Amino acid sequence: MESENDNRRLVRQPGRLISFSDAVFAIAVTLLVLEIQPPQDFGHLLRGLGALWPSYVGYALSFLLVGQVWVNHHVMFDRVRHVDRQVLFLNTLLLMVIAFLPFSTSLLADAIRAELGLRTAVVVYGATLWTAAALFNVIWAHLRRAKLLDPDLGPFGIRAIGRRFALALVWIGSGILVGAFVPIAGVVIIAGFLPAYYLPIRGEYGEDDTTAARPT
């Protein structure tokens, strides 16, 4: 006779996934600063440091973007009860894209400095971010469909988080589209929406679901 434990479904806790993801995020932001190479002419060091401004801009923008992805990654996985193999695979793809961002950042900074190939560089940079945003949406949709989310997070919170993730596709997509014609404007669009994604998401803690459930 089979015991109850024999029939119990294997449950993978999200702790190891989150720890591994945090490590990849940390490595990615570290690599960003390594892309900034010091000037060779120390006889005109101040001028050389000033000429690196595209690298400083790319570093600051990408660091904040990776930070924003890290914040929202926690928003997502803090509400996950357990994960399955599909989530592990999709999260691996997301981390692969994040690890590619230092290259995209270096490409953008070099194109700005050279004043050549800037449209292509902006599109590549934006496409990297858009792919990460798309994977966020795919992971969230799977978590909802597979019922892997914390039951304390009600419909209002689930929809609110989903809207925040979906909006990123429009935001970054607009930057890519504009950047293909006016590169600097495309970068400004991508950077312009960044502060909003550090703001809390109304309902992410389930507070509105609790309020809605109270009797009047």
Side-chain angles (χ1 to χ4, degrees), residues 54 65 101 117 169:
L65 281 165
L101 191 57
L169 295 174

Side-chain angles (χ1 to χ4, degrees), residues 98-121:
I98 296 302
F100 187 77
L101 191 57
F103 168 78
S104 299
T105 303
S106 179
L107 185 70
L108 178 63
D110 288 346
I112 293 174
R113 191 177 299 109
E115 298 182 353
L116 294 170
L118 190 52
R119 293 181 181 180
T120 300

